[in-house]
């Protein structure tokens, strides 16, 4: 295997006017006809809830032309370059980690530690661009990872949430600490007939168990609650300290592709049925209930990703049509507008400070900067040779009050993880075009925000 090397400048304009003034990274692969299922997001109701698709072998991903995974071996990942110049561009590529092990489906980052999950059975841990640790699950296709203190939660294609614990004396050692639901809780619940619910065509299952792939995990750290969303059309609520399933909510008419817990007990879910729904947590003693509040969006295109900023004031939704919608909670969740630019489905979203990152099946990552309701496209991070499936963002250690910088991790179906440096002070594409003497550039010619007064009904 050959190590990959890339130019540092990875700003690419959607308009051909900019291409002569910016450096391309690795050329994109020739376009091929790829099925929607290759992106491992349920797009429609067709077989969206099929109990026969519980294993990784039966998943749409395993049938994908992207999937040509090789057996696990201990060959090293390939770093970008040990001698990366200190004066890298404000928004550019730091490094690229590549292993012929499987497509990257999930990422989680905390305190300079990066966890990566793929359609192999291995969850890898990275520190300073080097492999720090690894642990193996009994099920392939790690679709979601979330970190909570010394615990790591992973969501899998087989419908289970697995729990891992970092050993305090040896941080590189991760031990399996159980799964959700626990074996004891399954046994206890199975005794009562009332604990069985109908899931499909007269088939019943325990309400505490997901009976299809887990698509997403989210955490309310203040309440110690974990949320898991599934292709079985439900989301479930777990108490982290005792591994109990507190509630199962039949949320949508099709696969739930995303769940996000926000402030004040608000939870958002997005589905292949084209809707985004808002739920409010109500707690009475040990009882937890999530009450439906409203539907933010109802469209034909599948909802593929959700993200909420730290204060909970803005909600973003990515769709299979390549559009990002957003709503502002301060205005009673009124529709704020749409961000257009991606040519294919938006598969993942992340938020850091005033920046919004959108990863797409078009292989690009758009960096948007929010100023009130106005969003400007700062840059496009290019270099992946496959759909960008997941994103994670951490504050850069070099970040200052005058210049906030972020380290962005992107995982792709090209089997690589790329690491980017992004600054909120970077010039946006519009200003760069003007500086290059292209005064006739309009907002329509570059992937910036398009504002709509007749947005989706609320």
């Amino acid at each position: 295997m050959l190590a990959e090397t890339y130019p540092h400048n990875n700003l690419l304009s959607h308009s051909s006017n900019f291409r002569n003034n910016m450096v391309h990274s690795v050329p994109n692969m020739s376009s091929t006809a790829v099925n929607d299922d290759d992106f491992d997001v349920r797009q429609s109701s067709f077989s969206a809830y099929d109990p026969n698709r519980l294993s990784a072998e039966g998943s749409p991903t395993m049938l994908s032309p992207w999937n040509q995974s090789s057996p696990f071996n201990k060959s090293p990942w390939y770093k970008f370059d040990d001698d990366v110049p200190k004066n890298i561009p404000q928004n550019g590529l730091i490094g690229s980690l590549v292993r012929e092990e499987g497509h990257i489906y999930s990422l989680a980052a905390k305190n300079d530690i990066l966890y990566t999950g793929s359609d192999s059975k291995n969850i890898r841990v990275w520190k300073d661009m080097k492999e720090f640790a690894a642990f193996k699950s009994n099920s392939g296709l790690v679709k979601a990872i979330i970190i909570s203190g010394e615990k790591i939660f992973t969501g899998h294609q087989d419908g289970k949430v697995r729990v891992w614990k970092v050993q305090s004396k040896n941080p590189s050692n991760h031990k399996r600490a159980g799964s959700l639901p626990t074996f004891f809780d399954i046994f206890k619940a199975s005794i009562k007939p009332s604990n069985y619910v109908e899931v499909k065509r007269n088939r019943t299952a325990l309400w505490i168990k997901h009976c299809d792939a887990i698509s997403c995990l989210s955490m309310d750290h203040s309440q110690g609650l974990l949320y898991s969303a599934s292709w079985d059309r439900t989301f479930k609520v777990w108490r982290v300290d005792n591994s109990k399933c507190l509630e199962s909510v039949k949320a949508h008419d099709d696969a739930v592709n995303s769940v996000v817990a926000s402030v004040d007990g608000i939870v958002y879910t997005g589905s292949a049925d084209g809707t985004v729904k808002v739920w409010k947590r109500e707690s009475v003693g040990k009882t937890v209930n999530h009450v439906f509040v409203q539907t933010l969006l109802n469209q034909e295109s599948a909802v593929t990703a959700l993200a909420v900023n730290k204060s909970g004031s803005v909600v973003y939704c990515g769709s299979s049509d390549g559009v990002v919608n957003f709503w502002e909670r301060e205005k009673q969740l009124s529709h704020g507008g749409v961000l257009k630019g991606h040519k294919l489905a938006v598969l993942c979203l992340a938020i850091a400070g005033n920046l919004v990152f959108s990863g797409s099946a078009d292989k690009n990552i758009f960096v948007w900067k929010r100023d009130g309701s106005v969003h400007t496209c700062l840059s496009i991070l290019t270099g992946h040779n496959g759909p960008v499936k997941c994103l994670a963002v951490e504050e850069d250690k070099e970040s200052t009050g005058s210049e906030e910088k972020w380290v962005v991790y992107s995982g792709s179906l090209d089997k690589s993880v790329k690491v980017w440096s992004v600054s909120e002070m970077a010039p946006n594409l519009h200003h760069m075009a003007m500086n290059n003497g292209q005064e006739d550039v309009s907002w329509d010619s570059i992937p910036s925000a398009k504002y709509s007064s007749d947005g989706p009904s609320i």
Side-chain angles (χ1 to χ4, degrees), residues 39 104 345-348 358-365 381 384-391 409-414 420:
F39 311 137
I104 307 299
V346 174
L347 301 179
C348 50
S358 56
S360 169
D362 65 14
K363 310 172 188 176
N364 298 323
I365 302 155
L381 308 178
H384 278 296
N385 288 327
V388 180
K389 188 64 180 69
C390 48
L391 293 166
Y409 304 95
S410 58
S412 169
L413 300 192
D414 65 8
W420 314 84

Side-chain angles (χ1 to χ4, degrees), residues 70-81:
S70 62
F72 167 73
N73 56 62
K74 285 296 290 181
S75 63
W77 284 59
Y78 286 92
K79 276 184 59 176
F80 175 60
D81 190 350

Side-chain angles (χ1 to χ4, degrees), residues 138-213:
N138 294 327
S139 169
L141 200 46
V142 185
K143 297 172 67 66
I145 306 175
I146 201 160
I147 305 169
S148 177
E150 293 184 345
K151 289 183 178 179
I152 313 298
F153 297 91
T154 54
H156 297 258
Q157 179 79 16
D158 64 1
K160 290 183 180 179
V161 178
R162 290 173 171 81
V163 188
W164 314 83
K165 193 166 184 181
V166 183
Q167 303 301 297
S168 55
K169 293 183 179 179
N170 183 7
S172 66
N173 192 2
H174 294 69
K175 293 290 187 183
R176 172 80 177 271
S179 60
L180 305 179
T182 65
F183 177 80
F184 177 76
D185 284 343
I186 292 173
F187 175 76
K188 185 178 177 182
S190 65
I191 298 173
K192 273 187 161 185
S194 60
N195 285 326
Y196 288 85
V197 295
E198 186 174 343
V199 291
K200 188 183 180 185
R201 297 195 184 108
N202 299 320
R203 178 172 173 256
T204 60
L206 291 173
W207 69 270
I208 63 173
K209 291 178 64 177
H210 281 299
C211 48
D212 207 336

